[in-house]
């Protein structure tokens, strides 16, 4: 039983063959998916997919690099879609200083506004953070009274900062990079994060795990990530699966029914 806590089933490369990709993942042991939006259209599509597949839930939000049109109120647009029972999180939202195509002050302003939107609807947040750990921490702390629970999607920071984020209610999610042979920093994170705060994800179609690195990632490849985490922590893969599955249910407020 695996919960893929961050997957873009709404990406065209996957969506065009959605039945196949979902079936293959289910056959590989995945029983639930959080399909994550990254702009208005992909958020709508995430909801459509979640409405069609019992095992899929939706996160809606704006990736920081997509906050490009100053004439659009992205908070209002996302809020319009929020009242759907399959919407269980706001995301992905956050800060991205790597691409640097959207002014940092706009990214920060929206990040804080999305935190407040999530608070208003009592939804957890899914965070995309690239080259912006310190500012992310600062904004989370400044908005502490509005913080719901959340997840650091594909966490790539140092193990020393895990506690800072966990203390603010964040879970730590690991994906394909934990399988990369030279990813020492992520290996250390996988070993040291509290098992009750750990999630697994694919970020499909990005970040395919070793030995498929460089190929398009597929939902079924999550088993490589689970196996690697089990190896690093000296646990069975069944243990990692069941713990991370339960953590995802807790974070997203999903009750597990056995009818899947
Ligand atoms: Ni993503």
């Amino acid at each position: 039983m695996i919960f893929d806590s961050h997957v873009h089933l709404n990406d065209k490369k996957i969506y065009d063959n959605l039945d196949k990709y979902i079936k293959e993942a289910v056959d590989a042991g995945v029983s639930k998916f959080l399909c994550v939006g990254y702009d208005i259209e992909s958020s709508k599509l995430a909801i459509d997919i979640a409405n069609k597949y019992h095992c899929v839930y939706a996160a809606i939000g704006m990736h920081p690099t997509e906050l490009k049109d100053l004439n659009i109120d992205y908070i209002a647009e996302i809020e319009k879609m929020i009242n759907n029972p399959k919407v269980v999180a706001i995301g992905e939202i956050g800060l991205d200083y790597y691409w640097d195509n959207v002014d940092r002050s706009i990214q920060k302003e929206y990040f804080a506004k999305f935190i407040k939107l999530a608070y208003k609807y009592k939804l957890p947040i899914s965070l995309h953070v690239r080259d912006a750990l310190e500012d992310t921490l600062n904004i989370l702390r400044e908005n502490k009274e509005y913080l719901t629970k959340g997840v650091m999607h594909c966490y790539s920071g140092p193990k020393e900062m895990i506690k800072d984020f966990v203390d603010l209610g964040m879970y730590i999610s690991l994906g394909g990079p934990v399988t990369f042979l030279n990813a020492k920093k992520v290996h250390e994170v996988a070993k040291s994060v509290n098992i009750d705060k750990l999630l697994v994800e694919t970020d499909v179609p990005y970040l395919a795990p070793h030995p498929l690195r460089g190929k398009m990632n597929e939902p079924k490849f999550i088993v490589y990530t689970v196996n690697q985490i089990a190896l690093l922590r000296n646990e069975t893969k069944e243990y990692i699966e069941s713990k991370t599955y339960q953590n995802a249910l807790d974070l997203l407020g999903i009750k597990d029914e056995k009818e899947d």
Side-chain angles (χ1 to χ4, degrees):
M1 255 186 354
I2 301 172
F3 199 133
D4 185 345
S5 72
H6 193 112
V7 55
H8 300 294
L9 302 171
N10 45 359
D11 186 287
K12 191 173 187 320
K13 294 191 269 303
I14 301 298
Y15 186 70
D16 286 348
N17 272 303
L18 193 54
D19 279 334
K20 168 181 124 68
Y21 285 118
I22 288 184
K23 183 182 185 305
E24 286 175 355
V26 168
D27 288 346
V30 183
S31 29
K32 291 191 192 300
F33 306 81
L34 180 63
C35 180
V36 180
Y38 42 90
D39 61 10
I40 305 292
E41 281 312 307
S42 63
S43 293
K44 279 186 189 143
L45 195 50
I47 295 173
D48 289 347
I49 296 169
N51 284 337
K52 185 171 169 206
Y53 294 89
H54 185 73
C55 57
V56 178
Y57 297 81
I60 56 174
M62 292 294 303
H63 193 286
T65 61
E66 299 295 327
L67 300 163
K68 286 181 273 202
D69 190 338
L70 296 175
N71 296 312
I72 297 177
D73 179 351
Y74 292 112
I75 302 292
E77 292 302 314
I78 292 297
E79 190 168 13
K80 279 181 200 163
M81 312 176 209
I82 217 166
N83 275 320
N84 182 298
K86 291 302 280 288
V87 172
V88 295
I90 296 296
E92 52 193 295
I93 57 169
L95 301 175
D96 193 316
Y97 296 169
Y98 177 80
W99 295 107
D100 230 1
N101 66 328
V102 171
D103 195 89
R104 291 182 182 187
S105 64
I106 292 172
Q107 294 190 37
K108 289 195 248 186
E109 186 185 321
Y110 264 111
F111 185 18
K113 282 184 180 169
F114 273 121
I115 288 172
K116 292 185 176 102
L117 181 70
Y119 175 76
K120 182 174 167 187
Y121 291 90
K122 298 189 168 56
L123 291 171
I125 51 180
S126 175
L127 303 189
H128 168 98
V129 179
R130 194 158 182 198
D131 293 351
L133 280 171
E134 288 295 341
D135 277 6
T136 298
L137 205 49
N138 289 337
I139 290 175
L140 291 175
R141 282 177 176 150
E142 284 162 17
N143 292 279
K144 207 170 172 188
E145 60 187 300
Y146 304 108
L147 273 192
T148 53
K149 286 190 275 192
V151 49
M152 304 297 291
H153 134 64
C154 203
Y155 180 76
S156 58
K159 70 172 181 184
E160 289 77 13
M161 284 182 86
I162 293 174
K163 186 176 185 303
D164 294 323
F165 289 109
V166 166
D167 284 351
L168 289 161
M170 299 296 124
Y171 287 68
I172 302 293
S173 181
L174 297 178
V178 77
T179 66
F180 297 170
L181 302 175
N182 54 357
K184 296 275 184 299
K185 199 163 84 171
V186 192
H187 296 170
E188 289 307 311
V189 168
K191 282 190 237 176
S192 54
V193 59
N194 183 325
I195 190 67
D196 294 322
K197 294 296 170 185
L198 181 65
L199 300 181
V200 290
E201 64 169 77
T202 54
D203 203 18
V204 153
Y206 311 105
L207 298 174
H210 174 80
L212 303 147
R213 191 176 182 179
K215 295 206 169 93
M216 188 189 87
N217 200 1
E218 298 179 27
K220 67 180 175 190
F221 295 161
I222 199 165
V223 293
Y224 291 99
T225 295
V226 171
N227 290 349
Q228 169 74 349
I229 293 172
L231 199 67
L232 287 165
R233 297 182 69 103
N234 201 18
E235 299 278 3
T236 64
K237 66 181 193 328
E238 290 78 12
Y239 176 77
I240 302 298
E241 286 182 11
S242 75
K243 281 301 219 179
T244 55
Y245 184 86
Q246 188 58 49
N247 293 343
L249 295 183
D250 293 346
L251 169 67
L252 301 170
I254 297 171
K255 285 200 198 72
D256 200 13
E257 332 90 16
K258 292 283 171 249
E259 65 202 66
D260 279 356

